[in-house]
């Protein structure tokens, strides 16, 4: 059998051709014909919202990835909890970086524009720690203090990203070892 990451319809078809049992833990595709083990992405969104709400914040932003199923689920869980608390929410989503020849910095101008529109204090939930880390750096660049003006939380609890970020990044753990075990 195979434990793999199947992220496109083409990969689903190739995996089916193998003719052996396969399990994926990728949440990129909404409809996947391969058995999948995943965390509850809606619950991750709700946990992130709860963390930011506990800090007394009323204005929020979700920073996700367009057309990625787990990002949609995290956004929806976050939005549901923020709405239940009567908070204001803006959603900002960018495309996945598919072209390996484009710089990851290509989308920073757009991010800078919407960061400049934030009215502090606000909380931002980023779809994962990588994007949260970029937000921390960009907030500093546009003059927003983290966490005083903007509190940021990511997902994955990646030790390298969270601990080497200044200030250290808050993150929701998705328990990758547990998912692998399951």
């Amino acid at each position: 059998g195979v434990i793999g990451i199947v992220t496109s319809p083409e990969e689903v078809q190739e995996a089916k051709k193998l003719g052996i049992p396969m399990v994926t833990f990728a949440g990129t595709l909404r409809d996947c014909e391969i058995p999948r083990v995943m965390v509850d992405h809606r619950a991750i969104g709700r946990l992130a919202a709860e963390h930011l709400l506990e800090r007394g914040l009323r204005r929020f932003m979700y920073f996700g990835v367009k057309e990625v199923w787990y990002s949609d689920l995290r956004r929806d869980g976050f939005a549901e909890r923020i709405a239940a608390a009567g908070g204001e929410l803006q959603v900002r989503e960018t495309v996945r970086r598919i072209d390996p020849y484009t710089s990851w910095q290509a989308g920073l101008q757009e991010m800078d524009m919407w960061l400049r529109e934030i009215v502090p204090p606000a909380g931002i939930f980023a779809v994962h720690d990588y994007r949260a880390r970029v937000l921390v750096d960009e907030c500093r660049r546009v003059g927003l203090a983290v966490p005083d003006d903007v509190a940021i939380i990511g997902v994955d609890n990646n030790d390298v990203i969270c601990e080497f970020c200044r200030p250290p990044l808050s993150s929701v753990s998705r328990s990758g070892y547990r998912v692998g075990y399951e």
Side-chain angles (χ1 to χ4, degrees), residues 24-27 36-47 69-71 73-74 127 155-156 172-180 182:
T24 183
F25 56 92
R36 173 170 31 209
V37 178
M38 269 188 359
V39 297
D40 184 341
H41 293 287
R42 275 178 130 58
I44 286 173
R46 289 190 300 271
L47 284 169
W69 187 45
Y70 71 83
S71 182
L73 294 171
R74 291 175 186 184
V127 66
V155 179
D156 292 330
V172 178
S173 174
R174 63 177 175 85
S175 304
Y177 291 108
R178 175 86 188 256
V179 170
E182 293 294 326

mmCIF file of all heavy atoms in Angstrom, residues 24-27 36-47 69-71 73-74 127 155-156 172-180 182:
data_model
loop_
_atom_site.group_PDB
_atom_site.id
_atom_site.type_symbol
_atom_site.label_atom_id
_atom_site.label_comp_id
_atom_site.label_asym_id
_atom_site.label_seq_id
_atom_site.Cartn_x
_atom_site.Cartn_y
_atom_site.Cartn_z
ATOM 1 N N THR A 24 -4.540 8.982 1.066
ATOM 2 C CA THR A 24 -3.948 10.314 0.976
ATOM 3 C C THR A 24 -4.317 11.101 2.225
ATOM 4 O O THR A 24 -5.332 10.843 2.865
ATOM 5 C CB THR A 24 -4.412 11.069 -0.286
ATOM 6 O OG1 THR A 24 -3.737 12.347 -0.332
ATOM 7 C CG2 THR A 24 -5.906 11.300 -0.321
ATOM 8 N N PHE A 25 -3.482 12.053 2.569
ATOM 9 C CA PHE A 25 -3.833 12.956 3.655
ATOM 10 C C PHE A 25 -3.872 14.397 3.165
ATOM 11 O O PHE A 25 -3.914 15.331 3.940
ATOM 12 C CB PHE A 25 -2.903 12.793 4.866
ATOM 13 C CG PHE A 25 -1.448 12.976 4.579
ATOM 14 C CD1 PHE A 25 -0.863 14.221 4.710
ATOM 15 C CD2 PHE A 25 -0.664 11.909 4.202
ATOM 16 C CE1 PHE A 25 0.488 14.393 4.460
ATOM 17 C CE2 PHE A 25 0.681 12.070 3.944
ATOM 18 C CZ PHE A 25 1.259 13.316 4.076
ATOM 19 N N ALA A 26 -3.924 14.566 1.853
ATOM 20 C CA ALA A 26 -3.996 15.901 1.264
ATOM 21 C C ALA A 26 -5.432 16.418 1.294
ATOM 22 O O ALA A 26 -6.367 15.681 1.007
ATOM 23 C CB ALA A 26 -3.486 15.871 -0.168
ATOM 24 N N GLY A 27 -5.588 17.681 1.597
ATOM 25 C CA GLY A 27 -6.900 18.308 1.620
ATOM 26 C C GLY A 27 -7.066 19.340 0.537
ATOM 27 O O GLY A 27 -7.891 20.238 0.656
ATOM 28 N N ARG A 36 -9.108 9.091 2.418
ATOM 29 C CA ARG A 36 -8.342 10.217 2.943
ATOM 30 C C ARG A 36 -8.441 10.249 4.461
ATOM 31 O O ARG A 36 -9.503 10.019 5.026
ATOM 32 C CB ARG A 36 -8.908 11.492 2.325
ATOM 33 C CG ARG A 36 -8.354 12.736 2.864
ATOM 34 C CD ARG A 36 -8.724 13.992 2.129
ATOM 35 N NE ARG A 36 -10.005 14.059 1.465
ATOM 36 C CZ ARG A 36 -10.236 14.802 0.387
ATOM 37 N NH1 ARG A 36 -9.269 15.510 -0.154
ATOM 38 N NH2 ARG A 36 -11.417 14.852 -0.156
ATOM 39 N N VAL A 37 -7.331 10.588 5.087
ATOM 40 C CA VAL A 37 -7.296 10.843 6.527
ATOM 41 C C VAL A 37 -6.930 12.313 6.681
ATOM 42 O O VAL A 37 -5.906 12.760 6.163
ATOM 43 C CB VAL A 37 -6.255 9.954 7.248
ATOM 44 C CG1 VAL A 37 -6.206 10.290 8.725
ATOM 45 C CG2 VAL A 37 -6.572 8.484 7.040
ATOM 46 N N MET A 38 -7.797 13.070 7.359
ATOM 47 C CA MET A 38 -7.565 14.507 7.502
ATOM 48 C C MET A 38 -7.980 14.971 8.880
ATOM 49 O O MET A 38 -8.796 14.346 9.542
ATOM 50 C CB MET A 38 -8.419 15.291 6.489
ATOM 51 C CG MET A 38 -7.754 15.544 5.195
ATOM 52 S SD MET A 38 -8.650 16.648 4.078
ATOM 53 C CE MET A 38 -10.136 17.130 4.850
ATOM 54 N N VAL A 39 -7.451 16.107 9.250
ATOM 55 C CA VAL A 39 -7.893 16.778 10.461
ATOM 56 C C VAL A 39 -9.209 17.481 10.166
ATOM 57 O O VAL A 39 -9.612 17.614 9.005
ATOM 58 C CB VAL A 39 -6.838 17.792 10.950
ATOM 59 C CG1 VAL A 39 -5.550 17.095 11.319
ATOM 60 C CG2 VAL A 39 -6.593 18.879 9.929
ATOM 61 N N ASP A 40 -9.862 17.972 11.189
ATOM 62 C CA ASP A 40 -11.095 18.737 11.035
ATOM 63 C C ASP A 40 -10.709 20.197 10.786
ATOM 64 O O ASP A 40 -10.439 20.949 11.721
ATOM 65 C CB ASP A 40 -11.950 18.589 12.294
ATOM 66 C CG ASP A 40 -13.300 19.273 12.187
ATOM 67 O OD1 ASP A 40 -13.475 20.156 11.320
ATOM 68 O OD2 ASP A 40 -14.185 18.934 12.999
ATOM 69 N N HIS A 41 -10.646 20.576 9.520
ATOM 70 C CA HIS A 41 -10.186 21.920 9.161
ATOM 71 C C HIS A 41 -11.144 23.015 9.637
ATOM 72 O O HIS A 41 -10.706 24.117 9.976
ATOM 73 C CB HIS A 41 -9.954 22.016 7.651
ATOM 74 C CG HIS A 41 -8.814 21.168 7.191
ATOM 75 N ND1 HIS A 41 -7.502 21.482 7.433
ATOM 76 C CD2 HIS A 41 -8.789 19.987 6.522
ATOM 77 C CE1 HIS A 41 -6.713 20.559 6.930
ATOM 78 N NE2 HIS A 41 -7.479 19.635 6.366
ATOM 79 N N ARG A 42 -12.436 22.734 9.692
ATOM 80 C CA ARG A 42 -13.397 23.711 10.231
ATOM 81 C C ARG A 42 -13.093 23.976 11.702
ATOM 82 O O ARG A 42 -13.132 25.114 12.156
ATOM 83 C CB ARG A 42 -14.824 23.208 10.091
ATOM 84 C CG ARG A 42 -15.478 23.490 8.767
ATOM 85 C CD ARG A 42 -16.889 22.865 8.778
ATOM 86 N NE ARG A 42 -17.982 23.694 8.378
ATOM 87 C CZ ARG A 42 -18.127 24.305 7.227
ATOM 88 N NH1 ARG A 42 -17.185 24.232 6.336
ATOM 89 N NH2 ARG A 42 -19.196 24.986 6.944
ATOM 90 N N ALA A 43 -12.787 22.910 12.434
ATOM 91 C CA ALA A 43 -12.455 23.052 13.857
ATOM 92 C C ALA A 43 -11.179 23.875 14.025
ATOM 93 O O ALA A 43 -11.076 24.669 14.970
ATOM 94 C CB ALA A 43 -12.319 21.687 14.513
ATOM 95 N N ILE A 44 -10.219 23.706 13.122
ATOM 96 C CA ILE A 44 -8.998 24.515 13.177
ATOM 97 C C ILE A 44 -9.360 25.991 13.051
ATOM 98 O O ILE A 44 -8.859 26.837 13.794
ATOM 99 C CB ILE A 44 -8.006 24.080 12.072
ATOM 100 C CG1 ILE A 44 -7.365 22.748 12.453
ATOM 101 C CG2 ILE A 44 -6.949 25.147 11.820
ATOM 102 C CD1 ILE A 44 -6.499 22.138 11.369
ATOM 103 N N GLY A 45 -10.243 26.316 12.114
ATOM 104 C CA GLY A 45 -10.691 27.701 11.959
ATOM 105 C C GLY A 45 -11.379 28.234 13.195
ATOM 106 O O GLY A 45 -11.151 29.369 13.617
ATOM 107 N N ARG A 46 -12.212 27.401 13.809
ATOM 108 C CA ARG A 46 -12.905 27.828 15.034
ATOM 109 C C ARG A 46 -11.918 28.050 16.181
ATOM 110 O O ARG A 46 -12.052 29.007 16.948
ATOM 111 C CB ARG A 46 -13.972 26.808 15.425
ATOM 112 C CG ARG A 46 -15.178 26.808 14.494
ATOM 113 C CD ARG A 46 -16.337 25.971 15.022
ATOM 114 N NE ARG A 46 -16.007 24.571 15.228
ATOM 115 C CZ ARG A 46 -16.127 23.613 14.299
ATOM 116 N NH1 ARG A 46 -16.582 23.916 13.088
ATOM 117 N NH2 ARG A 46 -15.828 22.367 14.580
ATOM 118 N N LEU A 47 -10.915 27.170 16.303
ATOM 119 C CA LEU A 47 -9.898 27.336 17.355
ATOM 120 C C LEU A 47 -9.109 28.629 17.161
ATOM 121 O O LEU A 47 -8.829 29.337 18.133
ATOM 122 C CB LEU A 47 -8.941 26.147 17.365
ATOM 123 C CG LEU A 47 -9.450 24.863 17.964
ATOM 124 C CD1 LEU A 47 -8.493 23.709 17.669
ATOM 125 C CD2 LEU A 47 -9.630 25.017 19.471
ATOM 126 N N TRP A 69 -9.289 23.293 -1.023
ATOM 127 C CA TRP A 69 -10.387 22.857 -0.175
ATOM 128 C C TRP A 69 -10.126 23.073 1.309
ATOM 129 O O TRP A 69 -10.971 23.604 2.029
ATOM 130 C CB TRP A 69 -10.712 21.400 -0.478
ATOM 131 C CG TRP A 69 -11.923 20.881 0.221
ATOM 132 C CD1 TRP A 69 -13.139 21.499 0.342
ATOM 133 C CD2 TRP A 69 -12.055 19.633 0.883
ATOM 134 N NE1 TRP A 69 -14.019 20.711 1.026
ATOM 135 C CE2 TRP A 69 -13.367 19.542 1.374
ATOM 136 C CE3 TRP A 69 -11.182 18.574 1.106
ATOM 137 C CZ2 TRP A 69 -13.829 18.452 2.084
ATOM 138 C CZ3 TRP A 69 -11.650 17.470 1.796
ATOM 139 C CH2 TRP A 69 -12.963 17.426 2.277
ATOM 140 N N TYR A 70 -8.952 22.677 1.822
ATOM 141 C CA TYR A 70 -8.716 22.842 3.261
ATOM 142 C C TYR A 70 -8.718 24.312 3.646
ATOM 143 O O TYR A 70 -9.139 24.668 4.752
ATOM 144 C CB TYR A 70 -7.441 22.124 3.726
ATOM 145 C CG TYR A 70 -6.134 22.744 3.277
ATOM 146 C CD1 TYR A 70 -5.563 23.801 3.968
ATOM 147 C CD2 TYR A 70 -5.454 22.247 2.174
ATOM 148 C CE1 TYR A 70 -4.359 24.356 3.573
ATOM 149 C CE2 TYR A 70 -4.254 22.792 1.771
ATOM 150 C CZ TYR A 70 -3.704 23.849 2.472
ATOM 151 O OH TYR A 70 -2.515 24.395 2.070
ATOM 152 N N SER A 71 -8.285 25.197 2.750
ATOM 153 C CA SER A 71 -8.319 26.625 3.026
ATOM 154 C C SER A 71 -9.767 27.107 3.141
ATOM 155 O O SER A 71 -10.107 27.896 4.030
ATOM 156 C CB SER A 71 -7.584 27.399 1.929
ATOM 157 O OG SER A 71 -7.581 28.781 2.206
ATOM 158 N N LEU A 73 -12.333 25.298 4.073
ATOM 159 C CA LEU A 73 -12.881 24.772 5.325
ATOM 160 C C LEU A 73 -12.393 25.568 6.532
ATOM 161 O O LEU A 73 -13.173 25.882 7.438
ATOM 162 C CB LEU A 73 -12.515 23.296 5.491
ATOM 163 C CG LEU A 73 -13.135 22.332 4.482
ATOM 164 C CD1 LEU A 73 -12.523 20.942 4.629
ATOM 165 C CD2 LEU A 73 -14.643 22.282 4.636
ATOM 166 N N ARG A 74 -11.107 25.902 6.550
ATOM 167 C CA ARG A 74 -10.565 26.706 7.660
ATOM 168 C C ARG A 74 -11.226 28.079 7.689
ATOM 169 O O ARG A 74 -11.595 28.578 8.747
ATOM 170 C CB ARG A 74 -9.046 26.825 7.531
ATOM 171 C CG ARG A 74 -8.344 25.508 7.775
ATOM 172 C CD ARG A 74 -6.857 25.572 7.536
ATOM 173 N NE ARG A 74 -6.279 24.239 7.649
ATOM 174 C CZ ARG A 74 -5.002 23.970 7.561
ATOM 175 N NH1 ARG A 74 -4.133 24.941 7.361
ATOM 176 N NH2 ARG A 74 -4.574 22.728 7.667
ATOM 177 N N VAL A 127 -3.866 30.756 6.745
ATOM 178 C CA VAL A 127 -4.161 29.364 6.434
ATOM 179 C C VAL A 127 -3.070 28.409 6.914
ATOM 180 O O VAL A 127 -3.348 27.274 7.257
ATOM 181 C CB VAL A 127 -4.440 29.193 4.927
ATOM 182 C CG1 VAL A 127 -3.192 29.474 4.106
ATOM 183 C CG2 VAL A 127 -5.007 27.829 4.623
ATOM 184 N N VAL A 155 -1.308 27.992 11.202
ATOM 185 C CA VAL A 155 -1.669 26.586 11.393
ATOM 186 C C VAL A 155 -0.455 25.732 11.052
ATOM 187 O O VAL A 155 0.235 26.012 10.080
ATOM 188 C CB VAL A 155 -2.839 26.153 10.486
ATOM 189 C CG1 VAL A 155 -3.177 24.681 10.684
ATOM 190 C CG2 VAL A 155 -4.062 27.012 10.716
ATOM 191 N N ASP A 156 -0.233 24.707 11.809
ATOM 192 C CA ASP A 156 0.764 23.653 11.651
ATOM 193 C C ASP A 156 1.679 23.565 12.863
ATOM 194 O O ASP A 156 2.262 22.535 13.117
ATOM 195 C CB ASP A 156 1.634 23.775 10.389
ATOM 196 C CG ASP A 156 0.851 23.556 9.115
ATOM 197 O OD1 ASP A 156 -0.135 22.796 9.154
ATOM 198 O OD2 ASP A 156 1.221 24.157 8.094
ATOM 199 N N VAL A 172 -2.077 27.000 15.455
ATOM 200 C CA VAL A 172 -2.925 25.862 15.790
ATOM 201 C C VAL A 172 -2.224 24.610 15.277
ATOM 202 O O VAL A 172 -1.899 24.534 14.092
ATOM 203 C CB VAL A 172 -4.326 25.975 15.142
ATOM 204 C CG1 VAL A 172 -5.177 24.750 15.463
ATOM 205 C CG2 VAL A 172 -5.021 27.253 15.579
ATOM 206 N N SER A 173 -1.991 23.652 16.145
ATOM 207 C CA SER A 173 -1.366 22.406 15.722
ATOM 208 C C SER A 173 -2.394 21.542 15.007
ATOM 209 O O SER A 173 -3.528 21.410 15.455
ATOM 210 C CB SER A 173 -0.822 21.647 16.930
ATOM 211 O OG SER A 173 -0.338 20.384 16.535
ATOM 212 N N ARG A 174 -1.997 20.947 13.895
ATOM 213 C CA ARG A 174 -2.900 20.020 13.220
ATOM 214 C C ARG A 174 -2.489 18.578 13.477
ATOM 215 O O ARG A 174 -2.993 17.652 12.868
ATOM 216 C CB ARG A 174 -3.063 20.332 11.743
ATOM 217 C CG ARG A 174 -1.938 20.234 10.926
ATOM 218 C CD ARG A 174 -2.131 20.486 9.450
ATOM 219 N NE ARG A 174 -0.792 20.434 8.936
ATOM 220 C CZ ARG A 174 -0.187 19.308 8.587
ATOM 221 N NH1 ARG A 174 -0.811 18.176 8.620
ATOM 222 N NH2 ARG A 174 1.055 19.346 8.183
ATOM 223 N N SER A 175 -1.570 18.385 14.401
ATOM 224 C CA SER A 175 -1.181 17.047 14.869
ATOM 225 C C SER A 175 -0.797 16.122 13.720
ATOM 226 O O SER A 175 -1.385 15.053 13.546
ATOM 227 C CB SER A 175 -2.299 16.433 15.707
ATOM 228 O OG SER A 175 -2.640 17.277 16.768
ATOM 229 N N GLY A 176 0.206 16.535 12.959
ATOM 230 C CA GLY A 176 0.648 15.763 11.806
ATOM 231 C C GLY A 176 1.045 14.331 12.149
ATOM 232 O O GLY A 176 0.750 13.408 11.380
ATOM 233 N N TYR A 177 1.670 14.114 13.285
ATOM 234 C CA TYR A 177 2.057 12.752 13.671
ATOM 235 C C TYR A 177 0.832 11.885 13.900
ATOM 236 O O TYR A 177 0.789 10.728 13.524
ATOM 237 C CB TYR A 177 2.952 12.771 14.922
ATOM 238 C CG TYR A 177 4.313 13.353 14.654
ATOM 239 C CD1 TYR A 177 4.660 14.598 15.144
ATOM 240 C CD2 TYR A 177 5.247 12.647 13.896
ATOM 241 C CE1 TYR A 177 5.913 15.137 14.893
ATOM 242 C CE2 TYR A 177 6.491 13.171 13.629
ATOM 243 C CZ TYR A 177 6.829 14.417 14.132
ATOM 244 O OH TYR A 177 8.051 14.949 13.877
ATOM 245 N N ARG A 178 -0.184 12.473 14.509
ATOM 246 C CA ARG A 178 -1.414 11.723 14.762
ATOM 247 C C ARG A 178 -2.107 11.366 13.452
ATOM 248 O O ARG A 178 -2.610 10.262 13.280
ATOM 249 C CB ARG A 178 -2.355 12.549 15.659
ATOM 250 C CG ARG A 178 -3.697 11.951 15.910
ATOM 251 C CD ARG A 178 -3.664 10.989 17.072
ATOM 252 N NE ARG A 178 -4.901 10.272 17.205
ATOM 253 C CZ ARG A 178 -5.829 10.526 18.115
ATOM 254 N NH1 ARG A 178 -5.647 11.495 18.971
ATOM 255 N NH2 ARG A 178 -6.909 9.800 18.165
ATOM 256 N N VAL A 179 -2.151 12.334 12.513
ATOM 257 C CA VAL A 179 -2.762 12.056 11.208
ATOM 258 C C VAL A 179 -2.024 10.909 10.535
ATOM 259 O O VAL A 179 -2.641 9.992 9.991
ATOM 260 C CB VAL A 179 -2.759 13.329 10.318
ATOM 261 C CG1 VAL A 179 -3.163 13.004 8.887
ATOM 262 C CG2 VAL A 179 -3.685 14.385 10.885
ATOM 263 N N GLY A 180 -0.693 10.934 10.571
ATOM 264 C CA GLY A 180 0.086 9.854 9.983
ATOM 265 C C GLY A 180 -0.203 8.514 10.622
ATOM 266 O O GLY A 180 -0.344 7.489 9.941
ATOM 267 N N GLU A 182 -3.005 7.643 12.222
ATOM 268 C CA GLU A 182 -4.379 7.220 11.876
ATOM 269 C C GLU A 182 -4.425 6.641 10.480
ATOM 270 O O GLU A 182 -5.112 5.693 10.202
ATOM 271 C CB GLU A 182 -5.351 8.396 11.987
ATOM 272 C CG GLU A 182 -5.552 8.910 13.403
ATOM 273 C CD GLU A 182 -6.235 7.918 14.330
ATOM 274 O OE1 GLU A 182 -7.095 7.155 13.872
ATOM 275 O OE2 GLU A 182 -5.888 7.916 15.519
#
